[in-house]
PDB file of all heavy atoms in Angstrom:
ATOM      1  N   GLN A 239    -105.793  17.989 179.402  1.00 95.00           N
ATOM      2  CA  GLN A 239    -104.309  18.292 179.849  1.00 95.00           C
ATOM      3  C   GLN A 239    -104.247  19.453 180.733  1.00 95.00           C
ATOM      4  O   GLN A 239    -103.664  19.302 181.855  1.00 95.00           O
ATOM      5  CB  GLN A 239    -103.424  18.216 178.671  1.00 95.00           C
ATOM      6  CG  GLN A 239    -101.937  18.397 179.108  1.00 95.00           C
ATOM      7  CD  GLN A 239    -101.056  18.507 177.955  1.00 95.00           C
ATOM      8  OE1 GLN A 239    -101.262  19.006 176.881  1.00 95.00           O
ATOM      9  NE2 GLN A 239     -99.858  18.006 178.075  1.00 95.00           N
ATOM     10  N   GLU A 240    -104.775  20.548 180.334  1.00 95.00           N
ATOM     11  CA  GLU A 240    -104.653  21.765 181.059  1.00 95.00           C
ATOM     12  C   GLU A 240    -105.420  21.599 182.395  1.00 95.00           C
ATOM     13  O   GLU A 240    -104.807  22.027 183.398  1.00 95.00           O
ATOM     14  CB  GLU A 240    -105.217  22.924 180.274  1.00 95.00           C
ATOM     15  CG  GLU A 240    -105.046  24.244 180.935  1.00 95.00           C
ATOM     16  CD  GLU A 240    -105.470  25.445 180.027  1.00 95.00           C
ATOM     17  OE1 GLU A 240    -105.544  25.214 178.844  1.00 95.00           O
ATOM     18  OE2 GLU A 240    -105.669  26.540 180.544  1.00 95.00           O
ATOM     19  N   THR A 241    -106.700  20.985 182.342  1.00 95.00           N
ATOM     20  CA  THR A 241    -107.376  20.958 183.626  1.00 95.00           C
ATOM     21  C   THR A 241    -106.711  20.065 184.664  1.00 95.00           C
ATOM     22  O   THR A 241    -106.617  20.350 185.807  1.00 95.00           O
ATOM     23  CB  THR A 241    -108.872  20.207 183.219  1.00 95.00           C
ATOM     24  OG1 THR A 241    -109.459  21.050 182.304  1.00 95.00           O
ATOM     25  CG2 THR A 241    -109.744  20.133 184.492  1.00 95.00           C
ATOM     26  N   ILE A 242    -106.141  18.827 184.215  1.00 97.00           N
ATOM     27  CA  ILE A 242    -105.471  17.998 185.188  1.00 97.00           C
ATOM     28  C   ILE A 242    -104.234  18.595 185.752  1.00 97.00           C
ATOM     29  O   ILE A 242    -103.967  18.461 186.894  1.00 97.00           O
ATOM     30  CB  ILE A 242    -105.223  16.585 184.500  1.00 97.00           C
ATOM     31  CG1 ILE A 242    -106.547  15.925 184.119  1.00 97.00           C
ATOM     32  CG2 ILE A 242    -104.383  15.733 185.316  1.00 97.00           C
ATOM     33  CD1 ILE A 242    -107.432  15.427 185.291  1.00 97.00           C
ATOM     34  N   THR A 243    -103.604  19.258 184.825  1.00 97.00           N
ATOM     35  CA  THR A 243    -102.334  19.946 185.228  1.00 97.00           C
ATOM     36  C   THR A 243    -102.708  20.914 186.347  1.00 97.00           C
ATOM     37  O   THR A 243    -101.960  21.036 187.370  1.00 97.00           O
ATOM     38  CB  THR A 243    -101.665  20.505 184.054  1.00 97.00           C
ATOM     39  OG1 THR A 243    -101.237  19.514 183.146  1.00 97.00           O
ATOM     40  CG2 THR A 243    -100.397  21.307 184.468  1.00 97.00           C
ATOM     41  N   THR A 244    -103.680  21.730 186.115  1.00 97.00           N
ATOM     42  CA  THR A 244    -104.025  22.767 187.171  1.00 97.00           C
ATOM     43  C   THR A 244    -104.514  22.107 188.489  1.00 97.00           C
ATOM     44  O   THR A 244    -104.007  22.583 189.497  1.00 97.00           O
ATOM     45  CB  THR A 244    -105.291  23.587 186.583  1.00 97.00           C
ATOM     46  OG1 THR A 244    -104.887  24.234 185.324  1.00 97.00           O
ATOM     47  CG2 THR A 244    -105.644  24.649 187.580  1.00 97.00           C
ATOM     48  N   LEU A 245    -105.089  20.963 188.361  1.00 97.00           N
ATOM     49  CA  LEU A 245    -105.617  20.449 189.653  1.00 97.00           C
ATOM     50  C   LEU A 245    -104.407  19.825 190.386  1.00 97.00           C
ATOM     51  O   LEU A 245    -104.329  19.879 191.559  1.00 97.00           O
ATOM     52  CB  LEU A 245    -106.599  19.229 189.300  1.00 97.00           C
ATOM     53  CG  LEU A 245    -107.950  19.709 188.800  1.00 97.00           C
ATOM     54  CD1 LEU A 245    -108.813  18.463 188.352  1.00 97.00           C
ATOM     55  CD2 LEU A 245    -108.708  20.442 189.900  1.00 97.00           C
ATOM     56  N   LEU A 246    -103.463  19.185 189.699  1.00 98.00           N
ATOM     57  CA  LEU A 246    -102.297  18.652 190.328  1.00 98.00           C
ATOM     58  C   LEU A 246    -101.464  19.689 190.975  1.00 98.00           C
ATOM     59  O   LEU A 246    -100.982  19.571 192.103  1.00 98.00           O
ATOM     60  CB  LEU A 246    -101.431  17.830 189.249  1.00 98.00           C
ATOM     61  CG  LEU A 246    -102.010  16.508 188.671  1.00 98.00           C
ATOM     62  CD1 LEU A 246    -101.272  16.055 187.444  1.00 98.00           C
ATOM     63  CD2 LEU A 246    -101.896  15.366 189.763  1.00 98.00           C
ATOM     64  N   GLU A 247    -101.161  20.784 190.329  1.00 97.00           N
ATOM     65  CA  GLU A 247    -100.443  21.939 190.828  1.00 97.00           C
ATOM     66  C   GLU A 247    -101.119  22.476 192.043  1.00 97.00           C
ATOM     67  O   GLU A 247    -100.464  22.892 192.938  1.00 97.00           O
ATOM     68  CB  GLU A 247    -100.234  23.028 189.750  1.00 97.00           C
ATOM     69  CG  GLU A 247     -99.288  22.590 188.581  1.00 97.00           C
ATOM     70  CD  GLU A 247     -99.049  23.533 187.487  1.00 97.00           C
ATOM     71  OE1 GLU A 247     -99.932  24.415 187.386  1.00 97.00           O
ATOM     72  OE2 GLU A 247     -98.066  23.229 186.721  1.00 97.00           O
ATOM     73  N   LYS A 248    -102.486  22.465 191.977  1.00 97.00           N
ATOM     74  CA  LYS A 248    -103.164  23.126 193.178  1.00 97.00           C
ATOM     75  C   LYS A 248    -103.058  22.141 194.398  1.00 97.00           C
ATOM     76  O   LYS A 248    -102.845  22.594 195.556  1.00 97.00           O
ATOM     77  CB  LYS A 248    -104.637  23.399 192.795  1.00 97.00           C
ATOM     78  CG  LYS A 248    -105.525  23.962 193.814  1.00 97.00           C
ATOM     79  CD  LYS A 248    -106.834  24.212 193.399  1.00 97.00           C
ATOM     80  CE  LYS A 248    -107.620  24.976 194.519  1.00 97.00           C
ATOM     81  NZ  LYS A 248    -108.955  25.349 193.952  1.00 97.00           N
ATOM     82  N   ALA A 249    -103.059  20.857 194.190  1.00 98.00           N
ATOM     83  CA  ALA A 249    -102.938  19.719 195.162  1.00 98.00           C
ATOM     84  C   ALA A 249    -101.555  19.937 195.866  1.00 98.00           C
ATOM     85  O   ALA A 249    -101.433  19.884 197.020  1.00 98.00           O
ATOM     86  CB  ALA A 249    -103.202  18.472 194.625  1.00 98.00           C
ATOM     87  N   ILE A 250    -100.478  20.089 194.828  1.00 97.00           N
ATOM     88  CA  ILE A 250     -99.073  20.228 195.422  1.00 97.00           C
ATOM     89  C   ILE A 250     -98.952  21.519 196.254  1.00 97.00           C
ATOM     90  O   ILE A 250     -98.310  21.495 197.309  1.00 97.00           O
ATOM     91  CB  ILE A 250     -98.094  20.210 194.236  1.00 97.00           C
ATOM     92  CG1 ILE A 250     -98.081  18.861 193.649  1.00 97.00           C
ATOM     93  CG2 ILE A 250     -96.751  20.527 194.676  1.00 97.00           C
ATOM     94  CD1 ILE A 250     -97.229  18.767 192.300  1.00 97.00           C
ATOM     95  N   ALA A 251     -99.511  22.546 195.786  1.00 97.00           N
ATOM     96  CA  ALA A 251     -99.411  23.830 196.430  1.00 97.00           C
ATOM     97  C   ALA A 251    -100.108  23.906 197.701  1.00 97.00           C
ATOM     98  O   ALA A 251     -99.565  24.515 198.721  1.00 97.00           O
ATOM     99  CB  ALA A 251     -99.898  24.922 195.562  1.00 97.00           C
ATOM    100  N   THR A 252    -101.334  23.286 197.864  1.00 97.00           N
ATOM    101  CA  THR A 252    -102.160  23.545 199.059  1.00 97.00           C
ATOM    102  C   THR A 252    -102.204  22.190 199.926  1.00 97.00           C
ATOM    103  O   THR A 252    -102.551  22.378 201.183  1.00 97.00           O
ATOM    104  CB  THR A 252    -103.623  23.733 198.656  1.00 97.00           C
ATOM    105  OG1 THR A 252    -104.102  22.527 197.892  1.00 97.00           O
ATOM    106  CG2 THR A 252    -103.757  24.988 197.754  1.00 97.00           C
ATOM    107  N   GLY A 253    -101.743  21.109 199.354  1.00 97.00           N
ATOM    108  CA  GLY A 253    -101.906  19.806 200.166  1.00 97.00           C
ATOM    109  C   GLY A 253    -103.285  19.196 200.332  1.00 97.00           C
ATOM    110  O   GLY A 253    -103.528  18.366 200.977  1.00 97.00           O
ATOM    111  N   GLU A 254    -104.176  19.942 199.542  1.00 97.00           N
ATOM    112  CA  GLU A 254    -105.626  19.448 199.539  1.00 97.00           C
ATOM    113  C   GLU A 254    -105.892  18.552 198.383  1.00 97.00           C
ATOM    114  O   GLU A 254    -105.484  18.919 197.268  1.00 97.00           O
ATOM    115  CB  GLU A 254    -106.439  20.682 199.671  1.00 97.00           C
ATOM    116  CG  GLU A 254    -106.327  21.621 200.985  1.00 97.00           C
ATOM    117  CD  GLU A 254    -107.207  22.806 200.860  1.00 97.00           C
ATOM    118  OE1 GLU A 254    -107.756  23.092 199.908  1.00 97.00           O
ATOM    119  OE2 GLU A 254    -107.046  23.558 201.812  1.00 97.00           O
ATOM    120  N   ASN A 255    -106.827  17.737 198.641  1.00 97.00           N
ATOM    121  CA  ASN A 255    -107.284  16.717 197.434  1.00 97.00           C
ATOM    122  C   ASN A 255    -108.186  17.630 196.493  1.00 97.00           C
ATOM    123  O   ASN A 255    -108.882  18.455 196.952  1.00 97.00           O
ATOM    124  CB  ASN A 255    -108.068  15.659 197.997  1.00 97.00           C
ATOM    125  CG  ASN A 255    -107.218  14.789 199.142  1.00 97.00           C
ATOM    126  OD1 ASN A 255    -106.074  14.708 199.005  1.00 97.00           O
ATOM    127  ND2 ASN A 255    -107.927  14.330 200.118  1.00 97.00           N
ATOM    128  N   GLN A 256    -108.164  17.163 195.221  1.00 97.00           N
ATOM    129  CA  GLN A 256    -108.771  17.767 194.210  1.00 97.00           C
ATOM    130  C   GLN A 256    -109.671  16.804 193.344  1.00 97.00           C
ATOM    131  O   GLN A 256    -109.230  15.589 193.313  1.00 97.00           O
ATOM    132  CB  GLN A 256    -107.849  18.575 193.256  1.00 97.00           C
ATOM    133  CG  GLN A 256    -106.952  19.620 193.854  1.00 97.00           C
ATOM    134  CD  GLN A 256    -107.700  20.845 194.658  1.00 97.00           C
ATOM    135  OE1 GLN A 256    -108.731  21.337 194.033  1.00 97.00           O
ATOM    136  NE2 GLN A 256    -107.205  21.196 195.699  1.00 97.00           N
ATOM    137  N   SER A 257    -110.564  17.271 192.436  1.00 96.00           N
ATOM    138  CA  SER A 257    -111.304  16.233 191.744  1.00 96.00           C
ATOM    139  C   SER A 257    -111.759  16.898 190.527  1.00 96.00           C
ATOM    140  O   SER A 257    -112.319  18.053 190.469  1.00 96.00           O
ATOM    141  CB  SER A 257    -112.420  15.639 192.573  1.00 96.00           C
ATOM    142  OG  SER A 257    -113.262  14.862 191.788  1.00 96.00           O
TER     143      SER A 257
END
Side-chain angles (χ1 to χ4, degrees):
Q239 183 177 34
E240 184 175 341
T241 303
I242 294 295
T243 297
T244 300
L245 292 173
L246 288 167
E247 289 178 342
K248 188 174 181 180
I250 292 172
T252 65
E254 297 176 355
N255 303 324
Q256 308 293 324
S257 176

